[in-house]
Amino acid sequence: MAVIDEELGEADVESTTLLDPPAPRDDIKTHMSNERTFFKWLWSGLRLGSVGTFVLAFFDRGNDPFRLPLVGFCWIVAIGFMIYGLVQYESRRQAILEGSVDRDRWQHPAGPVAITVAFTMVVLLVIFAAFVEYK
């Protein structure tokens, strides 16, 4: 934004860069966006748990040694993602209420990487268990 001094004819430009994050506003849109993100983490955890339940129903050929540990692993990771989503929701809610512009309170690049690695591990373990079970 430029403010022009009428006497000198000069413009006083506020120094902002394009890389600075905009200041968060305490409005309903910001709160609802935070809530939507929480629900995405919650649903991702439930989907991961449903893969575990699928394994429990699909690998039912007697005494499969991989079935219960794989189901337990899926649900432990799923519950971990749900708890992570809740912790992030509360942290961001507090940052919104305080009007914080600290990037460390908003951006967590490890979250998407962790969920990608966890889903990949679960899918690979399910495929491995299927090959061991049906070879």
Side-chain angles (χ1 to χ4, degrees), residues 28-41 85-96 106:
I28 192 70
K29 182 179 176 183
T30 306
H31 287 283
M32 296 303 281
S33 176
N34 185 34
E35 191 172 278
R36 278 192 309 271
T37 303
F38 166 65
F39 284 128
K40 294 293 183 182
W41 279 104
L86 180 63
V87 168
Q88 291 305 315
Y89 169 75
E90 284 298 320
S91 172
R92 290 178 178 148
R93 187 178 73 81
Q94 286 298 325
I96 290 168
W106 293 96

Side-chain angles (χ1 to χ4, degrees), residues 37-49:
T37 303
F38 166 65
F39 284 128
K40 294 293 183 182
W41 279 104
L42 184 68
W43 282 110
S44 294
L46 288 174
R47 286 183 188 116
L48 193 59

